[in-house]
Amino acid sequence: MPTRLLASLALAICLLGLRTADASEATLRTWPDGTEREIYKVDANGLRDGSYVSRHENGTYAVRATYRHGKLQGLHKTYD
């Protein structure tokens, strides 16, 4: 019984840690017909953080990039 309690407590601590570590909020913007236009996450300060994808009205990629605390991180690819 004590082992099961310790395992449950360990799992709860891990889940709480994961929840607070990922404090970002996903943002999805759509075209008037409802198809995806932009999708990205923002951190607790409202700055882009993580993968950013923008699409043309026909659904093909327009921009793919990665942000870290609002600053471009790595490649910024644009598509025609």
Side-chain angles (χ1 to χ4, degrees), residues 31-50:
W31 290 101
D33 68 357
T35 58
E36 180 183 303
R37 182 177 186 165
E38 290 180 300
I39 188 163
Y40 57 91
K41 290 185 176 183
V42 294
D43 62 15
N45 297 318
L47 301 173
R48 287 184 185 160
D49 194 56

Side-chain angles (χ1 to χ4, degrees), residues 37-74:
R37 182 177 186 165
E38 290 180 300
I39 188 163
Y40 57 91
K41 290 185 176 183
V42 294
D43 62 15
N45 297 318
L47 301 173
R48 287 184 185 160
D49 194 56
S51 178
Y52 170 83
V53 175
S54 175
R55 295 183 182 269
H56 295 289
E57 280 188 270
N58 66 7
T60 61
Y61 288 118
V63 176
R64 292 177 74 184
T66 303
Y67 287 85
R68 181 83 176 153
H69 303 297
K71 294 184 181 178
L72 187 61
Q73 183 81 24

Side-chain angles (χ1 to χ4, degrees), residues 15-26 41-44 49:
L15 291 174
L16 287 173
L18 289 174
R19 185 176 179 137
T20 57
D22 185 19
S24 58
E25 181 179 322
K41 290 185 176 183
V42 294
D43 62 15
D49 194 56

